[in-house]
Amino acid sequence: MIHPTAGVFEGREHQLPVRIYYEDTDFSGVVYHANYLRYFERGRSDFFRLIGISHTALAEADTAFAIIRMELDFKRSARIDDALVVRTTYDSIKGPRLFVTQRITRGADLICQASGVAVCITLDGRPRKPTSEMLAQLSPWLEGGKLAS
């Protein structure tokens, strides 16, 4: 059976290939700006998937994530048939907040970059610290391998 890729790691950076389809573009043939948020979400989700953190298991443990801040800088346009790479690093964790940096590239060209904050929450929306198991799985991938104080 063929499974979709969850990407690969290059050092601390998770890399997820994304192909641009007609449905991703606007009337001018350029990727619609809101779709970059979807690609970044896929990168964050597949980062977790590849290190063994399952969103299904998180939900069973009354845990989820909400994006509370996302800043995007658009540098170049992407178009139909482009092969892009979503590059994700989790930089630090402070309390319930996870700080993430993401970039989308086409070859050596930077298409879009993002800086964001996700917060770990219960399923009814209350902030909570990540579980010790989650922290152990994430810690090796953080900048300097450490949690923020």
Side-chain angles (χ1 to χ4, degrees), residues 6 9 14 42-55 58 65 90 93 98 118 134 137-138:
F9 277 96
H14 177 261
R42 292 176 197 172
R44 292 188 307 275
S45 292
D46 280 335
F47 182 111
F48 274 25
R49 182 173 288 111
L50 208 54
I51 67 169
I53 298 175
S54 156
H55 284 287
L58 288 174
F65 291 96
Y90 278 89
I93 298 173
L98 288 76
M134 186 188 311
Q137 288 171 286
L138 276 169

Short mmCIF file of all heavy atoms in Angstrom, two decimals, residues 6 9 14 42-55 58 65 90 93 98 118 134 137-138:
data_model
loop_
_atom_site.label_atom_id
_atom_site.label_comp_id
_atom_site.label_asym_id
_atom_site.label_seq_id
_atom_site.Cartn_x
_atom_site.Cartn_y
_atom_site.Cartn_z
N ALA A 6 5.07 11.98 5.02
CA ALA A 6 4.99 12.91 6.15
C ALA A 6 6.23 13.80 6.14
O ALA A 6 6.48 14.52 7.09
CB ALA A 6 4.87 12.15 7.46
N PHE A 9 13.31 14.91 7.97
CA PHE A 9 14.05 15.87 8.76
C PHE A 9 15.43 16.07 8.17
O PHE A 9 16.09 15.12 7.75
CB PHE A 9 14.20 15.41 10.21
CG PHE A 9 13.00 15.73 11.05
CD1 PHE A 9 12.03 14.78 11.26
CD2 PHE A 9 12.86 16.98 11.62
CE1 PHE A 9 10.91 15.07 12.02
CE2 PHE A 9 11.75 17.29 12.38
CZ PHE A 9 10.76 16.32 12.59
N HIS A 14 12.03 20.17 9.69
CA HIS A 14 11.15 19.23 9.00
C HIS A 14 10.86 19.80 7.61
O HIS A 14 10.57 20.99 7.45
CB HIS A 14 9.84 19.08 9.78
CG HIS A 14 8.85 18.20 9.10
ND1 HIS A 14 7.81 18.70 8.34
CD2 HIS A 14 8.75 16.86 9.03
CE1 HIS A 14 7.12 17.70 7.85
NE2 HIS A 14 7.66 16.56 8.25
N ARG A 42 -0.11 21.87 7.39
CA ARG A 42 0.35 20.52 7.02
C ARG A 42 1.78 20.28 7.53
O ARG A 42 2.09 19.20 8.02
CB ARG A 42 0.31 20.33 5.51
CG ARG A 42 -1.08 20.30 4.95
CD ARG A 42 -1.04 20.21 3.44
NE ARG A 42 -2.32 20.58 2.88
CZ ARG A 42 -2.55 20.75 1.59
NH1 ARG A 42 -1.57 20.58 0.72
NH2 ARG A 42 -3.74 21.09 1.17
N GLY A 43 2.63 21.30 7.40
CA GLY A 43 4.00 21.17 7.88
C GLY A 43 4.06 20.94 9.38
O GLY A 43 4.79 20.07 9.86
N ARG A 44 3.28 21.71 10.14
CA ARG A 44 3.27 21.53 11.61
C ARG A 44 2.71 20.16 11.99
O ARG A 44 3.26 19.47 12.84
CB ARG A 44 2.47 22.64 12.29
CG ARG A 44 3.11 24.02 12.19
CD ARG A 44 2.39 25.05 13.03
NE ARG A 44 0.96 25.16 12.78
CZ ARG A 44 0.40 25.89 11.82
NH1 ARG A 44 1.17 26.59 10.98
NH2 ARG A 44 -0.91 25.93 11.66
N SER A 45 1.63 19.76 11.33
CA SER A 45 1.01 18.46 11.64
C SER A 45 1.94 17.30 11.30
O SER A 45 2.08 16.35 12.08
CB SER A 45 -0.31 18.31 10.89
OG SER A 45 -1.26 19.21 11.37
N ASP A 46 2.57 17.36 10.13
CA ASP A 46 3.44 16.26 9.73
C ASP A 46 4.75 16.25 10.52
O ASP A 46 5.35 15.18 10.71
CB ASP A 46 3.68 16.26 8.23
CG ASP A 46 2.52 15.63 7.47
OD1 ASP A 46 1.80 14.81 8.07
OD2 ASP A 46 2.33 15.94 6.29
N PHE A 47 5.20 17.38 11.00
CA PHE A 47 6.33 17.42 11.93
C PHE A 47 5.98 16.54 13.13
O PHE A 47 6.75 15.64 13.50
CB PHE A 47 6.58 18.87 12.39
CG PHE A 47 7.74 19.06 13.31
CD1 PHE A 47 8.88 19.72 12.88
CD2 PHE A 47 7.70 18.63 14.63
CE1 PHE A 47 9.96 19.93 13.74
CE2 PHE A 47 8.76 18.83 15.50
CZ PHE A 47 9.89 19.48 15.05
N PHE A 48 4.83 16.81 13.74
CA PHE A 48 4.39 16.02 14.90
C PHE A 48 4.25 14.54 14.53
O PHE A 48 4.69 13.66 15.26
CB PHE A 48 3.07 16.55 15.43
CG PHE A 48 3.22 17.68 16.42
CD1 PHE A 48 4.33 18.50 16.43
CD2 PHE A 48 2.23 17.91 17.36
CE1 PHE A 48 4.46 19.52 17.33
CE2 PHE A 48 2.35 18.94 18.28
CZ PHE A 48 3.47 19.75 18.26
N ARG A 49 3.61 14.26 13.40
CA ARG A 49 3.38 12.88 12.98
C ARG A 49 4.71 12.14 12.87
O ARG A 49 4.84 11.00 13.32
CB ARG A 49 2.65 12.87 11.64
CG ARG A 49 2.31 11.49 11.12
CD ARG A 49 1.43 11.53 9.87
NE ARG A 49 0.07 11.95 10.25
CZ ARG A 49 -0.48 13.12 9.92
NH1 ARG A 49 0.18 14.00 9.19
NH2 ARG A 49 -1.70 13.41 10.29
N LEU A 50 5.71 12.78 12.29
CA LEU A 50 6.99 12.12 12.05
C LEU A 50 7.78 11.87 13.34
O LEU A 50 8.56 10.93 13.40
CB LEU A 50 7.83 12.95 11.07
CG LEU A 50 8.82 12.20 10.20
CD1 LEU A 50 8.15 11.07 9.42
CD2 LEU A 50 9.51 13.15 9.25
N ILE A 51 7.56 12.68 14.38
CA ILE A 51 8.26 12.42 15.65
C ILE A 51 7.43 11.56 16.60
O ILE A 51 7.82 11.32 17.73
CB ILE A 51 8.73 13.71 16.35
CG1 ILE A 51 7.55 14.56 16.83
CG2 ILE A 51 9.67 14.50 15.46
CD1 ILE A 51 7.99 15.72 17.76
N GLY A 52 6.26 11.10 16.11
CA GLY A 52 5.47 10.16 16.89
C GLY A 52 4.36 10.75 17.72
O GLY A 52 3.81 10.08 18.60
N ILE A 53 4.01 12.01 17.47
CA ILE A 53 2.90 12.64 18.18
C ILE A 53 1.68 12.61 17.27
O ILE A 53 1.66 13.26 16.23
CB ILE A 53 3.22 14.09 18.60
CG1 ILE A 53 4.40 14.11 19.57
CG2 ILE A 53 2.00 14.75 19.23
CD1 ILE A 53 4.88 15.50 19.95
N SER A 54 0.67 11.84 17.66
CA SER A 54 -0.53 11.65 16.86
C SER A 54 -1.62 12.60 17.33
O SER A 54 -1.91 12.70 18.52
CB SER A 54 -1.01 10.20 17.02
OG SER A 54 -2.37 10.07 16.75
N HIS A 55 -2.24 13.31 16.39
CA HIS A 55 -3.35 14.20 16.75
C HIS A 55 -4.53 13.39 17.31
O HIS A 55 -5.24 13.87 18.19
CB HIS A 55 -3.79 15.04 15.55
CG HIS A 55 -2.85 16.16 15.26
ND1 HIS A 55 -2.77 17.28 16.06
CD2 HIS A 55 -1.93 16.33 14.29
CE1 HIS A 55 -1.85 18.10 15.58
NE2 HIS A 55 -1.32 17.55 14.51
N LEU A 58 -3.62 12.68 20.85
CA LEU A 58 -3.74 13.92 21.62
C LEU A 58 -5.20 14.18 21.99
O LEU A 58 -5.51 14.51 23.14
CB LEU A 58 -3.18 15.11 20.84
CG LEU A 58 -1.68 15.20 20.68
CD1 LEU A 58 -1.31 16.36 19.75
CD2 LEU A 58 -0.99 15.34 22.01
N PHE A 65 -4.29 21.80 19.82
CA PHE A 65 -3.51 23.02 19.64
C PHE A 65 -4.36 24.07 18.95
O PHE A 65 -5.20 23.75 18.11
CB PHE A 65 -2.26 22.77 18.79
CG PHE A 65 -1.25 21.92 19.49
CD1 PHE A 65 -1.21 20.56 19.27
CD2 PHE A 65 -0.37 22.48 20.39
CE1 PHE A 65 -0.29 19.77 19.92
CE2 PHE A 65 0.55 21.70 21.06
CZ PHE A 65 0.58 20.33 20.82
N TYR A 90 10.38 23.92 15.28
CA TYR A 90 9.84 24.36 16.56
C TYR A 90 11.03 24.88 17.34
O TYR A 90 12.03 24.19 17.51
CB TYR A 90 9.15 23.20 17.29
CG TYR A 90 7.75 23.00 16.79
CD1 TYR A 90 7.49 22.16 15.71
CD2 TYR A 90 6.68 23.67 17.36
CE1 TYR A 90 6.20 21.99 15.23
CE2 TYR A 90 5.39 23.52 16.88
CZ TYR A 90 5.17 22.68 15.82
OH TYR A 90 3.89 22.53 15.34
N ILE A 93 9.48 26.13 23.75
CA ILE A 93 8.19 25.94 24.42
C ILE A 93 8.27 26.70 25.73
O ILE A 93 9.25 26.57 26.48
CB ILE A 93 7.90 24.45 24.70
CG1 ILE A 93 7.82 23.68 23.39
CG2 ILE A 93 6.60 24.29 25.49
CD1 ILE A 93 7.70 22.17 23.57
N LEU A 98 3.96 27.09 22.12
CA LEU A 98 5.00 26.52 21.26
C LEU A 98 5.32 27.55 20.19
O LEU A 98 4.42 28.00 19.47
CB LEU A 98 4.52 25.23 20.60
CG LEU A 98 4.37 24.00 21.48
CD1 LEU A 98 3.13 24.08 22.34
CD2 LEU A 98 4.32 22.76 20.62
N ALA A 118 1.68 28.57 18.75
CA ALA A 118 0.56 27.65 18.99
C ALA A 118 0.44 27.49 20.49
O ALA A 118 1.44 27.56 21.22
CB ALA A 118 0.82 26.30 18.33
N MET A 134 4.92 14.47 25.60
CA MET A 134 5.05 15.35 24.45
C MET A 134 6.32 16.19 24.54
O MET A 134 7.04 16.36 23.55
CB MET A 134 3.83 16.27 24.33
CG MET A 134 3.83 17.13 23.07
SD MET A 134 2.53 18.36 23.02
CE MET A 134 1.09 17.42 23.44
N GLN A 137 9.25 14.14 23.55
CA GLN A 137 9.33 13.91 22.11
C GLN A 137 9.76 15.17 21.36
O GLN A 137 10.45 15.09 20.35
CB GLN A 137 7.98 13.43 21.58
CG GLN A 137 7.66 11.99 22.00
CD GLN A 137 6.24 11.61 21.66
OE1 GLN A 137 5.31 12.05 22.31
NE2 GLN A 137 6.09 10.78 20.63
N LEU A 138 9.37 16.34 21.85
CA LEU A 138 9.70 17.60 21.17
C LEU A 138 11.09 18.14 21.53
O LEU A 138 11.73 18.79 20.71
CB LEU A 138 8.66 18.67 21.51
CG LEU A 138 7.40 18.66 20.67
CD1 LEU A 138 6.35 19.57 21.28
CD2 LEU A 138 7.70 19.08 19.25
#
